Amino acid sequence: MGEKRADLLRGTLDLLILKAVSLEPLHGVGISRRITQITKGAFQVSFGSLFPSLHRMEEKGWIEAEWRASDNNRRAKYYRLTQAGRGQLKAEERQWNQLVKIMAAAVQSS
Amino acid sequence: MPKRILSLFRNLFRHTEVEQALDDELRASLEVLTQEKMEQGLSRPQARREALLELGGIEQVKEEVRGVRAGHILDIFVRDARLALRLLIKRPSFTAVAILTFALGIGATTAMFCVVDTVLLRPLPYREPGRLVSFFSVIRGFARNLPAPGDYAYWRTEKNIFEGVAADDSRSYTLTGDGDEAQQLGVEAVSPDLFPLLGVTPLRGRVFGPAEDKPGADHVVLISYRLWKGRFGGDPSLVGRSILLNGEKWIVDGVMRPDFSFPFATTEAWIPINLTPEQLNDLGDHYLNEVVGRLRPGVTAEQANAALVLVGQRMAREHPVPSGGGPKERFFVEPLRVTYTRNARTGLLLLMAAVTFILLIACANVAGLLLSRVEQRQQEIVMRAALGAGRSRIFAQLLTESAVLATAGCVLGVLFAESSLGFLKALIPADLVQSAPLNVDFRVLCFLAIVLLVSTLFFGSAPGVRALRLDLNEALKQAPTRTLTTPRPRLGEVFVVAEVALSIILLIGAGLLLESFWKLYFLDPGFQSDHVLTLSLSTPTTERFVGFNQRSQMFDRILERVRTSPGVTSAAFTSAAPLSLTDAGMIGTMPFIPEGAVLQNGVERAQDRVITPDYFKVLRISLDRGRFFDENDGANSQPVAIVNETMARTYWPNQDALDKRFKFAAAATPTPWIRIVGVVRDVRQMGLDRPPEPEMYFPYRQARGNYMVMEDLLVRTSGAVPVLGDTLRHLVASIDPTQPVSSVTSMSERVNQDIAPRRLRAYLLAGLAGIALSLACVGIYGVMTYVVTQRAHEIGIRAALGATPRDIFRSVLGRGVTLTLLGICVGLAGGAASGKLIAGLLFNVKPSDPLTLTAAVVLLAGVAILACYVPARRATGIDPMVALRSE
């Protein structure tokens, strides 16, 4: 992602991360892969953006982390949605849907 | 949010743990990615490389994560501070000079602020002190006359303007009894309204009320906490009992609180003023020490003054000239605080300005030092920028370095300040009522914090700005291209100009004060102070005139015995020795009418003194015309007076004042004509720096008016003065044991004390100017050395092209001299603009005094050239080959 798009989509990244970990706990690389997957390859999050976001959200209490064994039996830090995170996810989804509606209407009006 | 605060604590205090966790996570992620790539068929090294590429570098990601952590800024600051500390320790001499310089500046500023805070900023210890004012009357020639009781009677009727008005008359009583020795007390006779007006309550008992402020009422007294503790051992049963003042019983109504004093710090007791109806009609005798009022809320001093103009007019209508002692030209009030700090104010503000200059110079110096450091560290800074440090990060790092320096300097500065406070105590007027201890307290620390912040920003941003201007590409090339054009003004050179400008202002100020002091020191006061001892034998003021005859006889006896004592050449009594009534700049005067004079106001005013015949001989005041008093000038002979030159010149211009007559214009009784039998030289009675005023002397046997009472004994001795003090004290005690003796001091000491504030101010300012000069010297030297280093390349080329060492020397020195001259010009302009501030502190010296200006310019230029000399010499030593090769 280019710098400018990253700025524009900073909020979006939060939403995507929350969405990614809402189904099951994931580690950093897993979250990256999941985002690529659920956006059908449209977004490839750089780790330079992902990890800061993860730590920020962890400090905010939206997600929490725990060390556990990964699929191939190596230890990894897994992130899981908290109660607060679930609320945040709902709020962000609502906002996003609203924004999409507004933008769609605006684009079609011309 | 608590979660976030928890994180903050974790980030700050379990830093290693947090970092370790991050490192673990990223390494684990790298491993996951590598595994992923290997599953796609890559070899392990290849997979690892690909994984690193995708991750974007472990350290880079870490830095990104750190950037979002709670307390990130604090974390940066701590790390920057650690780095700064390491860098500073690595260059101890640079660090020491910078810290010491800043400590000097901040120490001087802090110490002076302590004094200014104590004297000028602290509120008076009364309720809502901002609304308290003191009253004065302006009478022709006397700008701040003491009020007369009649004035007070008029002022207190202005109820729309003043919530209350209270009068105060300073008296002196002798406390006896309880077997202790007689103690002379400073007692204030005050209106009972005073205490509610000031908003003070007693510690014990009660304050007296209007019922006790009537003729014939019981004698009641309030005593100070200090007297209660000191003399009466804090006896709780004292209230309601009586104490002996001047041999009479006074019932103690109450004890005041420890922090209460009015109007002097030394006042020990308060009694009702008990003004009679006759006194309240008296507009002529100006003897009240003070009249204070409380303005109604919302009323300004200006409004009060406007109202007082009308009062003056009403009074003139109701008391037409000359029956009442003449119209007051004007009444005015000023804030009580101003009255109390008037003498100290200008001097303190001047010194405060001076230390601010020192601080500015110190800051400029440190800025210059840091600036040259940036130049030396160019490579490091550029490298950091190239590695991705943002401009704000570099700026912040340099600022942190300055902050560390400043904080160290600040701590040292406070130590300087603390140690100088004992010495600066002398700047605080002794009589100040708000006698707070002089120390570095919370208020001062707040001030200090602000100063620290501002000065750090001031000198810390200079290197920051310089660093931001560094051109990455140019600097990285290692061999920056340099031109041989005339060097454009550098930031450091601006500092030189500023330092020189500030220093020259300080030098001129110090020079002017010193010159004033010396002029005063060598001034002929009109009397000879050497070998003269003075003793104060204060008279019980309540019966100032009642026991006149007995007291006269006692004084005669004392004088006779003193005169014949060994070591005494002559002795005299007077109502007030020269320089004994200089406090607060307030003077009482006597209204009189010269015979045959057609005067606009009907009366004139002059100072008056009562003396015994030998007074002029003791002080060696020379007679201009006529004769001195002698024993024949008695109560029943013709009333006579001796006047000073100023009085003779003012009222009998172009005539001989001898044998002219005048009489008192007092309200009550008609007085006889008084003949002038002598004219004496002017004496500087009220302070050496105060021009002589019209003055008249009367023989003590013809004294009239209740203030014409002799108090001061003056003795001319043949030997050393101090030896006689105790002898005379015992002598007085042997004649009248109840007569207190105080203020035993030599006339030279009085002269000394009179000029002491000026001497202190002048010497302090001179010291500060000296500090400024040496700081400026160090600053100029530093900047010029830096400039020479900067120009090494250019100088090398010049030398290679055939410039002689002499040319190079002249070129460098010329630059320094140019900067200095520029600074001197700026400083002279600034000095001229601020001349008004200092004018009030000068004596017989103009702010534009050529001698001082020349001396200051020569001194500063000399020092500046000296400071430039070493770098200039060094420039001539630059080897062209080395200089050229080095780049």
Side-chain angles (χ1 to χ4, degrees):
Chain A
M1 283 195 298
E3 273 299 311
K4 284 211 172 115
R5 264 180 79 202
D7 272 353
L8 183 69
L9 296 173
R10 181 151 293 165
T12 325
L13 181 59
D14 282 6
L15 175 55
L16 287 174
I17 293 172
L18 289 170
K19 191 78 190 168
V21 297
S22 68
L23 302 173
E24 55 170 334
L26 290 171
H27 53 65
V29 179
I31 293 172
S32 166
R33 297 289 175 256
R34 177 63 55 84
I35 288 176
T36 312
Q37 186 192 346
I38 58 179
T39 58
K40 306 202 166 56
F43 280 10
Q44 299 218 330
V45 186
S46 81
F47 291 102
S49 315
L50 179 66
F51 282 109
S53 284
L54 283 174
H55 283 254
R56 189 162 38 79
M57 289 161 75
E58 189 187 355
E59 284 190 352
K60 282 184 176 166
W62 296 346
I63 53 177
E64 54 190 14
E66 135 180 70
W67 284 91
R68 55 158 105 155
S70 70
D71 301 341
N72 43 19
N73 259 340
R74 292 191 174 271
R75 271 164 49 78
K77 197 175 171 190
Y78 277 77
Y79 292 92
R80 184 177 54 192
L81 209 57
T82 63
Q83 202 58 40
R86 213 162 286 284
Q88 182 67 22
L89 175 60
K90 284 211 179 96
E92 293 212 4
E93 275 175 350
R94 206 168 39 244
Q95 276 174 17
W96 179 255
N97 285 332
Q98 237 168 358
L99 184 67
V100 168
K101 266 187 218 153
I102 293 167
M103 290 306 289
V107 172
Q108 277 163 16
S109 77
S110 63
Chain B
M1 272 297 108
K3 181 91 173 121
R4 183 113 173 122
I5 293 169
L6 226 64
S7 308
L8 175 66
F9 274 97
R10 210 161 51 98
N11 293 343
L12 288 182
F13 300 108
R14 317 191 67 170
H15 188 74
T16 336
E17 207 170 289
V18 171
E19 279 293 314
Q20 185 61 47
L22 178 62
D23 189 66
D24 286 350
E25 180 181 13
L26 291 177
R27 285 192 190 288
S29 300
L30 184 65
E31 191 53 40
V32 170
L33 280 172
T34 313
Q35 289 290 335
E36 218 181 75
K37 310 274 177 208
M38 280 167 69
E39 278 162 22
Q40 288 165 8
L42 292 174
S43 70
R44 190 169 171 89
Q46 250 179 333
R48 192 179 159 78
R49 194 160 55 240
E50 289 279 318
L52 263 177
L53 216 57
E54 191 178 344
L55 196 62
I58 287 189
E59 285 309 313
Q60 280 83 341
V61 175
K62 273 189 191 170
E63 196 55 37
E64 294 282 345
V65 171
R66 285 179 195 131
V68 300
R69 271 188 201 148
H72 168 60
I73 303 222
L74 205 61
D75 186 46
I76 287 189
F77 176 75
V78 170
R79 272 190 292 155
D80 280 357
R82 279 205 198 125
L83 174 64
L85 218 53
R86 270 204 305 278
L87 287 173
L88 290 175
I89 289 169
K90 253 170 49 187
R91 306 186 126 259
S93 57
F94 161 82
T95 308
V97 170
I99 289 180
L100 212 63
T101 304
F102 188 58
L104 265 179
I106 211 149
T109 313
T110 306
M112 196 48 69
F113 179 78
C114 281
V115 178
V116 168
D117 182 47
T118 305
V119 178
L120 299 181
L121 298 184
R122 271 174 208 282
L124 297 177
Y126 312 124
R127 175 173 64 90
E128 290 181 60
R131 290 200 278 134
L132 294 175
V133 292
S134 53
F135 290 79
F136 293 94
S137 62
V138 184
I139 304 176
R140 211 182 125 174
F142 298 95
R144 297 168 68 82
N145 226 308
L146 297 181
D151 298 338
Y152 160 66
Y154 268 89
W155 294 333
R156 68 176 179 180
T157 60
E158 292 300 303
K159 298 214 186 296
N160 289 332
I161 301 291
F162 303 105
E163 241 175 53
V165 178
D168 156 40
D169 183 20
S170 288
R171 293 177 188 172
S172 173
Y173 280 82
T174 312
L175 175 65
T176 50
D178 301 334
D180 286 332
E181 67 178 69
Q183 181 181 356
Q184 198 203 335
L185 297 185
V187 176
E188 300 296 318
V190 298
S191 326
D193 327 354
L194 179 77
F195 303 102
L197 187 150
L198 296 179
V200 295
T201 52
L203 179 72
R204 283 170 181 277
R206 57 182 183 89
V207 294
F208 47 76
E212 288 150 305
D213 185 37
K214 281 186 183 134
D218 282 345
H219 282 349
V220 292
V221 60
L222 295 170
I223 62 172
S224 71
Y225 181 82
R226 193 174 43 236
L227 184 66
W228 183 55
K229 277 284 179 196
R231 176 90 183 197
F232 302 104
D235 178 6
S237 68
L238 186 71
V239 174
R241 293 218 320 257
S242 58
I243 57 174
L244 281 180
L245 293 178
N246 288 348
E248 284 188 85
K249 283 187 173 177
W250 291 70
I251 299 164
V252 178
D253 258 5
V255 179
M256 299 310 287
R257 293 179 189 278
D259 58 353
F260 176 74
S261 56
F262 176 92
F264 310 115
T266 48
T267 307
E268 301 284 12
W270 298 266
I271 57 171
I273 190 166
N274 232 329
L275 290 170
T276 61
E278 293 78 47
Q279 283 174 314
L280 286 171
N281 266 326
D282 182 359
L283 296 169
D285 288 351
H286 292 253
Y287 61 82
L288 290 182
N289 172 57
E290 187 162 41
V291 173
V292 289
R294 177 176 287 280
L295 294 173
R296 286 201 171 278
V299 177
T300 63
E302 288 73 36
Q303 288 166 334
N305 282 335
L308 285 177
V309 171
L310 300 179
V311 175
Q313 289 166 358
R314 181 157 59 92
M315 190 157 121
R317 272 198 310 277
E318 291 172 8
H319 293 271
V321 175
S323 63
K328 311 299 179 294
E329 279 186 357
R330 195 161 65 84
F331 296 135
F332 71 97
V333 292
E334 68 182 13
L336 194 60
R337 159 196 291 292
V338 174
T339 309
Y340 283 175
T341 57
R342 191 169 164 266
N343 290 336
R345 187 180 187 81
T346 325
L348 284 184
L349 290 184
L350 179 82
L351 288 173
M352 193 67 213
V355 293
T356 312
F357 279 17
I358 298 270
L359 184 64
L360 285 177
I361 294 174
C363 283
N365 250 359
V366 177
L369 281 170
L370 288 171
L371 213 52
S372 49
R373 284 273 287 143
V374 169
E375 220 64 33
Q376 290 162 2
R377 287 169 52 190
Q378 197 168 338
Q379 291 301 325
E380 174 215 325
I381 292 169
V382 165
M383 190 59 72
R384 286 159 58 95
L387 288 177
R391 282 165 174 247
S392 57
R393 273 302 278 109
I394 292 180
F395 194 92
Q397 209 267 311
L398 289 169
L399 204 58
T400 309
E401 212 176 305
S402 309
V404 169
L405 262 185
T407 310
C410 201
V411 171
L412 193 61
V414 170
L415 295 180
F416 281 174
E418 277 277 9
S419 57
S420 67
L421 285 184
F423 163 70
L424 290 177
K425 268 199 184 91
L427 282 171
I428 297 181
D431 261 346
L432 207 66
V433 285
Q434 67 272 33
S435 54
L438 187 61
N439 55 27
V440 179
D441 60 8
F442 180 70
R443 294 161 61 95
V444 176
L445 288 180
C446 286
F447 167 80
L448 200 62
I450 295 169
V451 170
L452 181 64
L453 197 70
V454 172
S455 42
T456 307
L457 284 177
F458 174 64
F459 66 63
S461 47
V465 167
R466 179 76 192 87
L468 292 189
R469 275 206 258 143
L470 288 178
D471 185 332
L472 272 189
N473 290 327
E474 286 299 318
L476 273 180
K477 272 193 252 161
Q478 284 275 337
T481 45
R482 280 178 186 161
T483 54
L484 291 181
T485 51
T486 322
R488 63 192 165 81
R490 295 181 177 84
L491 203 47
E493 294 181 331
V494 176
F495 290 140
V496 169
V497 174
E499 284 180 31
V500 169
L502 291 171
S503 304
I504 191 95
I505 294 179
L506 278 188
L507 275 179
I508 292 172
L512 291 174
L513 286 196
L514 280 176
E515 205 181 333
S516 297
F517 168 67
W518 285 326
K519 285 220 163 137
L520 205 58
Y521 187 77
F522 292 113
L523 179 87
D524 176 10
F527 58 88
Q528 281 185 24
S529 57
D530 60 294
H531 288 92
V532 176
L533 184 72
T534 71
L535 297 84
S536 182
L537 277 65
S538 60
T539 311
T541 19
T542 35
E543 298 105 42
R544 268 176 172 159
F545 214 58
V546 177
F548 180 75
N549 284 331
Q550 293 93 305
R551 289 191 66 77
S552 295
Q553 283 163 19
M554 183 186 81
F555 279 145
D556 280 343
R557 279 208 305 281
I558 294 175
L559 208 53
E560 196 47 50
R561 289 275 299 279
V562 170
R563 213 179 265 140
T564 51
S565 296
V568 172
T569 29
S570 53
F573 272 109
T574 174
S575 49
L579 306 179
S580 63
L581 287 178
T582 58
D583 280 351
M586 299 189 280
I587 328 155
T589 54
M590 190 80 155
F592 72 96
I593 307 168
E595 188 180 22
V598 184
L599 295 157
Q600 211 180 349
N601 293 323
V603 292
E604 293 297 341
R605 309 193 74 88
Q607 291 185 35
D608 56 278
R609 270 183 167 72
V610 177
I611 56 172
T612 57
D614 281 348
Y615 178 75
F616 296 113
K617 279 180 208 145
V618 173
L619 286 175
R620 305 224 164 118
I621 298 170
S622 54
L623 185 71
D624 196 38
R625 281 189 299 285
R627 65 169 177 89
F628 287 144
F629 297 135
D630 55 37
E631 293 302 331
N632 297 325
D633 296 315
N636 299 320
S637 65
Q638 144 132 72
V640 291
I642 293 174
V643 301
N644 69 352
E645 286 172 313
T646 301
M647 181 158 170
R649 203 172 43 241
T650 311
Y651 297 108
W652 294 277
N654 308 317
Q655 305 172 50
D656 192 353
L658 221 54
D659 289 326
K660 295 289 185 300
R661 301 199 302 173
F662 64 88
K663 68 179 180 181
F664 292 139
T669 47
T671 55
W673 288 105
I674 299 166
R675 196 167 62 89
I676 296 171
V677 295
V679 178
V680 291
R681 278 195 58 195
D682 285 338
V683 173
R684 295 193 174 237
Q685 310 264 27
M686 308 301 296
L688 296 184
D689 51 356
R690 300 259 293 263
E693 285 157 355
E695 184 161 17
M696 40 208 189
Y697 299 90
F698 302 102
Y700 75 117
R701 285 183 205 286
Q702 295 178 357
R704 65 204 80 232
N706 61 3
Y707 31 78
M708 283 192 168
V709 171
M710 292 182 297
E711 303 225 323
D712 289 346
L713 175 60
L714 298 171
V715 180
R716 180 163 284 280
T717 62
S718 51
V721 175
V723 186
L724 265 176
D726 279 341
T727 319
L728 295 183
R729 210 189 259 275
H730 292 139
L731 195 149
V732 172
S734 73
I735 293 171
D736 180 357
T738 66
Q739 173 64 55
V741 177
S742 61
S743 315
V744 182
T745 173
S746 71
M747 204 61 220
S748 312
E749 184 51 32
R750 286 198 178 197
V751 170
N752 223 358
Q753 271 173 13
D754 187 64
I755 54 176
R758 275 181 186 278
R759 172 168 40 209
L760 183 62
R761 270 202 302 265
Y763 286 5
L764 266 180
L765 197 61
L768 291 177
I771 294 178
L773 197 61
S774 42
L775 283 184
C777 180
V778 171
I780 294 170
Y781 169 79
V783 169
M784 289 316 287
T785 307
Y786 161 59
V787 168
V788 167
T789 327
Q790 282 280 287
R791 288 179 58 192
H793 178 74
E794 174 215 326
I795 291 169
I797 290 180
R798 278 179 200 271
L801 290 178
T804 61
R806 197 183 155 79
D807 295 335
I808 291 165
F809 181 77
R810 210 183 280 163
S811 150
V812 173
L813 198 65
R815 185 76 188 154
V817 169
T818 310
L819 292 175
T820 306
L821 288 182
L822 195 61
I824 286 177
C825 289
V826 173
L828 286 179
S834 57
K836 275 213 176 84
L837 172 68
I838 204 171
L841 295 172
L842 301 185
F843 176 76
N844 285 358
V845 178
K846 285 202 186 73
S848 59
D849 182 62
L851 178 69
T852 303
L853 292 192
T854 316
V857 169
V858 169
L859 181 62
L860 187 58
V863 168
I865 289 172
L866 207 66
C868 294
Y869 178 82
V870 180
R873 285 293 302 179
R874 194 172 296 162
T876 62
I878 289 177
D879 182 343
M881 287 322 290
V882 174
L884 292 175
R885 212 182 295 135
S886 79
E887 300 186 343

